[in-house]
Amino acid sequence: MSTSSLVIPEDLPQEVVKWSNANVQNSLEANKAEYYIEDDDIKILEQKNVTGRILLGLTSKRLENYGLVKGAADLIVMIVEQLKVIKELGESDIVAPLALESLTFSNLCLFVPTTEASGTTGKYLIAVCQ
């Protein structure tokens, strides 16, 4: 089974909500081969002035309303979902360093909020399968 790896260009702001429209375009460009995103799809998001904050709230339906076909919309939503996981975790909350490319839904085995009893309320326990 093949897995898709999300690429986040190093020159982008760490927080997705701070991404400009140009940053969103750069991120999609960096992932277009892996996620089969067409130049026309990226152009539509550029014309709609999609910033990082807007990107995190996009749904397939909304992307279809923008003019993307369902398949392209679903692929972009996959990217958004991975960005949300990375945003939720926060780089400083990852105990063992992980390459962002290795953090995909297909190899994320455990994603459980820890309990107050463990003394780490609000943190997440993560296991990445090989």
Side-chain angles (χ1 to χ4, degrees):
M1 179 176 163
S2 125
T3 62
S4 295
S5 298
L6 182 65
V7 175
I8 300 177
E10 291 181 19
D11 60 337
L12 297 184
Q14 186 174 354
E15 296 178 45
V16 178
V17 295
K18 293 182 179 178
W19 287 4
S20 67
N21 179 261
N23 295 147
V24 170
Q25 306 321 305
N26 291 342
S27 177
L28 293 174
E29 282 287 338
N31 288 285
K32 74 180 190 178
E34 185 73 28
Y35 288 87
Y36 307 103
I37 300 170
E38 300 291 329
D39 289 333
D40 291 343
D41 301 327
I42 296 172
K43 189 72 171 165
I44 288 171
L45 296 182
E46 179 183 15
Q47 292 169 345
K48 296 294 182 182
N49 199 29
V50 173
T51 61
R53 187 175 306 275
I54 294 168
L55 182 70
L56 290 173
L58 289 178
T59 62
S60 288
K61 189 69 171 166
R62 189 167 188 194
L63 287 165
E64 288 176 56
N65 289 340
Y66 284 173
L68 277 70
V69 296
K70 178 147 180 53
D74 290 345
L75 289 168
I76 290 174
V77 167
M78 286 175 61
I79 291 172
V80 169
E81 292 303 317
Q82 289 191 41
L83 287 170
K84 286 178 182 177
V85 169
I86 292 166
K87 176 182 173 280
E88 180 75 22
L89 294 175
E91 200 170 296
S92 63
D93 291 333
I94 299 174
V95 177
L98 296 172
L100 292 179
E101 303 86 52
S102 70
L103 188 59
T104 64
F105 287 113
S106 58
N107 67 4
L108 188 61
C109 296
L110 183 62
F111 186 71
V112 182
T114 57
T115 64
E116 262 185 65
S118 69
T120 56
T121 306
K123 301 290 182 183
Y124 293 90
L125 180 62
I126 301 167
V128 179
C129 300
Q130 298 298 329

